[in-house]
């Protein structure tokens, strides 16, 4: 009898639409990074660098030899880890990863983790194909076990890796891996999906899988059947539910735009369907897995950071990579632009374990906490403020490209001003919610959660404002 796994819930979504599926022939990548509550996820630019022979790089748990040169990249990472949940480098390689539960027993030695592999690939690869090679080599050399003293589940990472011309799904099980080239659209969640249609596979993977009894003798194997656990427990079931919704939205038919990808990352199903499936709970406490994740819902995770990245090979250099990033669940937040100019607003990197009223991540997370006290009343306040602003920014970026004369300073100003205005709007909406709270019926399913997470991160709040009673 297989032992019960003590595994935290997880719920990321990574999506890509290739040129044949987009309105203007670009590549459009999307990712929601869903993480435990109160885990800040700063966004930072890491410049290119040369490294002396023999240099080492300290990853999350182990130190490995550094590359002679690392490429500049924008990366979104949990504040206390080396690796990225998603990111893009100066050459237009963009990667997002997903945690998956494999059938392989965890290794009992220290290694890299999926997010480390993602960052190392961005720093070392000029194309999606090179990134596949980098991840494969590092995976085979060091494994992805992380810290074996705290690794409680059969945990691995899968990826979507894309550049201007091609993209791959990369799936792994400890040191075993396979990859498939993407055509049209593709998406991954917290499950294995590849069959025997892979284009690349690690050396001896087929022989190893057959030897372990995960597949019968064959020249090609079904990756999903070989790498997945044979029993399906709850956490995998909720991942399948979300995966099916991704499939529905990614294959809807109309050409992809940046706005459509943003909409998918904000998805909570159509109102009629949501009401029929989940009549008792609102979006913030939904017990149906959704792409936009809230900690009061089924997974216990929150979408900590999101990205829509557009790769545009024919555009002027600063516009070849348009990185639209948001913080907190995207349905309650706003995407602001960053350009391929070797710079993003430095304040985006400010995020620590304790609440900080000057940290962009905590400003948006605080807003999300108050929205979830009465989602149906307060989410519209955020959406009414953010959606027109987002459309304004999309139009401003198009106008900036028309006016571009080789000077990147207007782009720096546009990105900085968009970022600062987003913070002002978030503070303004929070203030409106605080003003309405005394006369709004609070969702008491969320109240204990609010108190607990506020205490954990030292976020100040007034008990009487929320409940009308003294603490």
């Amino acid at each position: 009898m297989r032992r019960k796994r003590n595994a935290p819930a997880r719920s990321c979504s990574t999506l890509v639409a290739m040129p044949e599926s987009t309105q203007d022939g670009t590549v459009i990548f999307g990712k929601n990074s869903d993480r435990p509550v109160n885990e800040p996820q700063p966004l930072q630019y890491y410049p290119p660098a040369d490294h002396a022979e023999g240099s080492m790089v300290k990853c999350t748990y182990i130190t490995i030899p550094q590359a002679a040169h690392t490429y500049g990249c924008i990366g979104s990472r949990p504040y206390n880890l080396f690796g990225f949940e998603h990111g893009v480098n100066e050459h237009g390689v963009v990667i997002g990863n997903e945690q998956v539960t494999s059938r392989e027993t965890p290794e009992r030695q220290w290694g890299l983790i999926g997010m480390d592999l993602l960052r190392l690939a961005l720093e070392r690869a000029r194309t999606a194909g090179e990134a596949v090679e980098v991840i494969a080599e590092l995976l085979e050399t060091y494994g992805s076990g992380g810290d074996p003293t705290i690794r409680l589940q059969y945990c691995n990472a899968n990826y979507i890796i894309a550049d201007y011309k091609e993209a791959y799904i990369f799936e792994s099980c400890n040191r075993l891996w396979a990859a498939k080239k993407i055509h049209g659209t593709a998406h991954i969640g917290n499950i294995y999906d590849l069959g025997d249609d892979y284009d690349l596979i690690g050396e001896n993977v087929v022989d190893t899988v057959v030897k372990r009894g995960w597949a019968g003798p064959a020249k090609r194997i079904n990756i999903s059947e070989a790498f997945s656990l044979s029993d399906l427990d709850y956490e995998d079931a909720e991942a399948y539910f979300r995966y099916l919704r991704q499939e529905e939205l990614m294959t809807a038919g109309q050409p992809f735009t940046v706005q459509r990808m943003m909409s998918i990352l904000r998805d909570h199903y159509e109102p009629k369907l949501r009401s029929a499936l989940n009549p008792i709970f609102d979006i913030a406490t939904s017990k149906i897995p959704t792409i936009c994740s809230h900690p009061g819902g089924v997974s216990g995770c929150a979408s900590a950071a999101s990205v829509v990245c557009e790769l545009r090979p024919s555009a002027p250099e600063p516009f070849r990579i348009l990185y639209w990033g948001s913080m907190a669940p995207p349905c309650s937040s706003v995407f602001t632009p960053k350009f391929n100019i070797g710079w993003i607003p430095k304040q985006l990197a400010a995020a620590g374990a304790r609440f900080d009223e000057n940290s962009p991540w905590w400003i948006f997370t605080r807003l999300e906490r108050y929205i979830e006290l009465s989602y149906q009343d307060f989410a519209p306040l955020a959406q009414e403020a953010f959606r027109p602003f987002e459309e304004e920014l999309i139009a401003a970026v198009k106008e900036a490209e028309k006016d571009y004369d080789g000077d990147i300073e207007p782009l720096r100003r546009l990105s900085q001003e968009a970022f600062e205005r987003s913070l002002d709007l978030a503070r303004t909406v929070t203030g409106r919610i605080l003003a309405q709270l005394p006369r709004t019926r609070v969702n008491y399913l969320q109240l204990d959660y609010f108190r607990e997470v506020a205490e954990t991160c030292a976020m100040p709040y007034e008990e009487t404002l929320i409940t009308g009673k003294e603490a």
Side-chain angles (χ1 to χ4, degrees):
M1 181 176 179
R2 184 176 282 117
R3 68 181 176 84
K4 178 65 177 176
R5 288 170 290 138
N6 181 13
R10 65 281 192 277
S11 54
C12 294
S13 299
T14 305
L15 324 157
V16 70
M18 299 304 289
E20 59 268 29
S21 299
T22 62
Q23 190 174 78
D24 55 3
T26 63
V27 174
I28 301 177
F29 172 95
K31 165 76 187 286
N32 277 350
S33 169
D34 301 340
R35 299 291 299 174
V37 297
N38 283 347
E39 184 187 81
Q41 194 163 315
L43 184 68
Q44 191 167 349
Y45 172 70
Y46 300 81
D50 293 317
H51 305 280
E53 185 176 353
S55 295
M56 305 293 284
V57 55
K58 187 180 186 308
C59 302
T60 301
Y61 296 115
I62 64 172
T63 299
I64 67 171
Q66 179 61 283
H69 179 80
T70 50
Y71 302 122
C73 52
I74 299 172
S76 184
R77 63 178 180 85
Y79 76 104
N80 57 345
L81 299 180
F82 166 82
F84 301 158
E85 275 278 320
H86 51 257
V88 64
N89 73 13
E90 62 183 290
H91 299 293
V93 179
V94 60
I95 312 177
N97 85 316
E98 306 283 328
Q99 178 181 317
V100 287
T101 304
S102 78
R103 70 192 303 167
E104 178 73 291
T105 303
E107 293 185 350
R108 297 302 181 188
Q109 60 180 280
W110 295 80
L112 300 171
I113 59 174
M115 285 177 278
D116 294 342
L117 293 166
L118 192 160
R119 175 173 175 175
L120 292 167
L122 288 177
E123 291 182 338
R124 302 178 182 202
R126 295 175 60 93
T127 66
E130 286 184 10
V132 169
E133 294 174 1
V134 170
I135 293 176
E137 181 179 358
L138 291 169
L139 188 70
E140 292 172 345
T141 303
Y142 300 104
S144 60
D147 179 352
T149 67
I150 63 172
R151 188 177 177 193
L152 300 178
Q153 67 184 111
Y154 303 179
C155 171
N156 288 270
N158 292 345
Y159 309 83
I160 283 183
I161 305 166
D163 64 21
Y164 297 111
K165 297 180 180 179
E166 63 180 8
Y168 295 87
I169 293 176
F170 184 107
E171 298 194 346
S172 68
C173 174
N174 277 8
R175 301 184 190 225
L176 309 177
W177 65 272
K180 175 185 177 181
K181 195 169 184 178
I182 293 169
H183 303 280
T185 64
H187 60 99
I188 59 173
N190 306 110
I191 59 172
Y192 289 102
D193 183 53
L194 293 186
D196 62 358
D197 54 346
Y198 49 85
D199 297 301
L200 302 166
I201 192 165
E203 187 177 1
N204 299 322
V205 170
V206 174
D207 290 343
T208 300
V209 164
V210 172
K211 184 177 179 180
R212 293 177 182 176
W214 300 350
K219 292 183 179 180
R220 298 181 71 86
I221 58 173
N222 184 301
I223 295 299
S224 178
E225 292 179 0
F227 288 1
S228 298
L229 276 167
S230 57
D231 58 345
L232 184 67
D233 64 4
Y234 171 76
E235 68 183 55
D236 295 314
E238 64 95 3
Y240 274 101
F241 208 121
R242 184 179 297 101
Y243 182 88
L244 292 174
R245 179 59 172 170
Q246 291 172 197
E247 178 72 14
E248 179 183 10
L249 295 173
M250 292 295 291
T251 58
Q254 66 268 36
F256 261 84
T257 62
V258 164
Q259 293 96 322
R260 180 180 169 190
M261 188 64 81
M262 291 175 178
S263 177
I264 291 175
L265 295 180
R266 290 173 167 136
D267 183 68
H268 290 289
Y269 302 95
E270 291 81 7
K272 288 184 178 180
L273 178 60
R274 188 170 62 243
S275 178
L277 292 174
N278 218 17
I280 299 173
F281 303 97
D282 66 14
I283 284 174
T285 56
S286 174
K287 303 309 172 188
I288 301 298
T290 58
I291 294 172
C292 182
S293 185
H294 294 256
V298 67
S299 75
C301 291
S303 295
S306 302
V307 60
V308 172
C309 187
E310 189 175 15
L311 304 178
R312 311 170 67 241
S314 300
E317 187 66 27
F319 298 89
R320 294 187 75 190
I321 301 168
L322 293 178
Y323 187 106
W324 295 87
S326 76
M327 296 180 172
C331 72
S332 306
S333 188
V334 60
F335 288 91
T336 60
K338 292 85 183 167
F339 301 93
N340 187 35
I341 57 175
W343 175 92
I344 65 172
K346 292 183 179 180
Q347 301 96 316
L348 286 163
R354 291 170 64 89
F355 174 79
D356 178 356
E357 63 182 8
N358 296 311
S359 161
W361 192 87
W362 281 111
I363 288 169
F364 276 97
T365 297
R366 180 173 184 255
L367 171 59
E368 170 254 324
R369 299 283 159 80
Y370 279 106
I371 285 174
E372 296 198 354
L373 287 172
S374 183
Y375 189 95
Q376 67 274 17
D377 293 303
F378 298 147
L381 298 180
Q383 292 158 5
E384 289 164 8
F386 291 146
R387 296 305 168 268
F389 178 48
E390 206 168 72
E391 292 297 324
E392 177 188 334
L393 292 176
I394 291 171
V397 168
K398 292 179 180 178
E399 193 65 27
E401 184 173 356
K402 291 179 183 178
D403 296 339
Y404 179 64
D405 60 2
D407 183 6
I408 66 170
E409 285 308 309
L411 307 182
R412 190 190 298 261
R413 288 196 299 272
L414 173 57
S415 188
Q416 182 70 36
E417 290 171 4
F419 161 71
E420 292 176 357
R421 285 181 62 191
S422 75
L423 297 187
D424 290 341
L425 281 174
R427 292 187 179 104
T428 297
V429 175
T430 302
R432 291 174 182 168
I433 292 172
L434 292 174
Q436 290 188 23
L437 259 177
R439 57 182 186 275
T440 303
R441 183 176 179 179
V442 169
N443 180 343
Y444 284 93
L445 291 169
Q446 287 294 90
L447 186 55
D448 286 342
Y449 154 73
F450 183 98
R451 290 168 172 153
E452 179 182 347
V453 296
E455 179 181 350
T456 303
C457 70
M459 186 184 87
Y461 70 96
E462 294 183 37
E463 181 80 11
T464 54
L465 190 63
I466 299 172
T467 65
K469 302 177 183 179
E470 296 292 340

